[in-house]
Amino acid sequence: MNKPPPQPPPDPAEPTGPGGVPADSADSAIHARGLTVVRGTRRVLDALSFDVAPGTVTGLLGPSGSGKSTLIRAIVGTQAKVTGTLDVLGRPAGSAGLRSRVGYVTQAPSVYGDLSARQNLDYYAAVLGIPRSRRAAAVTQALTDVDLTSHADDLAGNLSGGQASRVSLAVALLGAPELLVLDEPTVGLDPVLRRDLWDLFHRLAAHGTTLLISSHVMDEADRCAHLLLVRDGTLLAADTPQALREQTGSDTVEDAFLALVDSARAAEGPTPSPPAPH
Ligand SMILES: Nc1ncnc2c1ncn2[C@@H]1O[C@H](COP(=O)(O)OP(=O)(O)OP(=O)(O)O)[C@@H](O)[C@H]1O
């Protein structure tokens, strides 16, 4: 009997779907190929290729300055000098038709300090075009989702940083976006609130929402179904937490990340030694 021909190794620029992630643009909530961003004279994202499957919670993890916020801005269409392919919900990132389908929560809460949490939500619900008859119910539901009902009538300017961030998250939930992109949503929150928010993220995903959540805290990695690990503007890996641990023989995703950094460095070759003193 003839043996099947050996399969070529996968091309890292053409992900074939590790961890069940589709490689076809039409099946992906986010589809990136050769995604590059230049800021100033620096290439801060360098030829990233990955897919994010619909209805999943994907963690975007990497150290401070690795390019997470730049990637998020490219996905939501607010980043200049983006080249390569970047499709979001089947359309080029930044397309006008995506505005109501993509929710974005920035690191800095964007709320009006002189309005209460409820008034902020009521205002944004009107901007989003939610009919007046459904507005109060939508606002109450969003406040419940982020566990802010007891502070609903406090001025946003008097809320703590974590509470104000949750008002921003509630604003994003109001429009029931298909893709929700969150930049470090759990920074500064206590462990109970962090757990409750992750439970909310998983409930949203179970109802079909795709979530991309950035964090520089590696211990949040195991809460994600899939991970994108970035370092210095490059994609170190895109896989499930379990696959990353197994692949590197590590007990934690943090150790897996460090092992991947070491092997990337080894592949780059020896670091040039500093010039000898005269
Ligand atoms: N205008 C600019 N010109 C040149 N480089 C820039 C500019 N703005 C940001 N950068 C660089 O781009 C890189 C990526 O920044 P980015 O904010 O995306 O990182 P990050 O991973 O989100 O960091 P953090 O977790 O600290 O928010 C950083 O090294 C930063 O110094």
Side-chain angles (χ1 to χ4, degrees):
M1 209 163 81
N2 288 337
K3 276 199 198 157
Q7 295 298 310
D11 176 352
E14 282 298 327
T16 50
V21 167
D24 182 358
S25 164
D27 299 330
S28 302
I30 304 173
H31 173 78
R33 290 294 177 274
L35 171 64
T36 297
V37 173
V38 173
R39 295 181 82 173
T41 54
R42 287 192 50 207
R43 193 184 266 242
V44 296
L45 293 182
D46 191 9
L48 268 50
S49 294
F50 63 89
D51 287 271
V52 170
T56 58
V57 178
T58 296
L60 172 58
L61 297 186
S64 180
S66 55
K68 302 181 297 295
S69 300
T70 306
L71 175 55
I72 282 179
R73 277 197 298 273
I75 290 166
V76 301
T78 58
Q79 178 64 51
K81 296 195 180 167
V82 180
T83 53
T85 300
L86 182 58
D87 291 335
V88 173
L89 303 173
R91 293 175 177 226
S95 302
L98 289 174
R99 239 168 257 157
S100 59
R101 301 173 65 199
V102 178
Y104 172 33
V105 184
T106 59
Q107 276 181 31
S110 39
V111 289
Y112 294 102
D114 55 347
L115 297 182
S116 71
R118 191 189 301 279
Q119 286 167 332
N120 266 284
L121 286 166
D122 209 42
Y123 167 73
Y124 283 108
V127 171
L128 281 166
I130 297 176
R132 192 177 285 273
S133 57
R134 284 202 280 115
R135 225 176 275 164
V139 166
T140 301
Q141 181 62 54
L143 285 166
T144 309
D145 283 344
V146 300
D147 196 19
L148 268 185
T149 35
S150 57
H151 293 282
D153 299 311
D154 294 0
L155 284 186
N158 293 343
L159 295 174
S160 73
Q163 290 165 338
S165 311
R166 281 183 286 145
V167 178
S168 275
L169 173 57
V171 169
L173 294 177
L174 274 178
E178 291 162 63
L179 171 65
L180 190 52
V181 184
L182 306 163
D183 201 353
E184 308 248 7
T186 57
V187 169
L189 300 187
D190 66 71
V192 176
L193 219 44
R194 269 171 65 177
R195 185 201 56 198
D196 290 351
L197 270 191
W198 279 101
D199 287 348
L200 169 64
F201 299 155
H202 285 286
R203 279 202 308 279
L204 291 167
H207 285 96
T209 308
T210 307
L211 293 99
L212 179 68
I213 302 174
S214 81
S215 178
H216 63 270
V217 187
M218 290 283 169
D219 65 5
E220 300 209 304
D222 277 303
R223 298 180 184 274
C224 303
H226 202 85
L227 297 173
L228 301 173
L229 298 187
V230 290
R231 173 191 164 251
D232 286 347
T234 60
L235 187 64
L236 275 183
D239 218 323
T240 63
Q242 190 186 347
L244 290 171
R245 283 194 304 268
E246 282 171 10
Q247 184 195 323
T248 53
S250 310
D251 290 334
T252 63
V253 171
E254 179 155 12
D255 287 343
F257 179 81
L258 295 172
L260 289 163
V261 169
D262 288 345
S263 51
R265 281 194 185 142
E268 282 159 12
T271 332
S273 0
H278 291 291

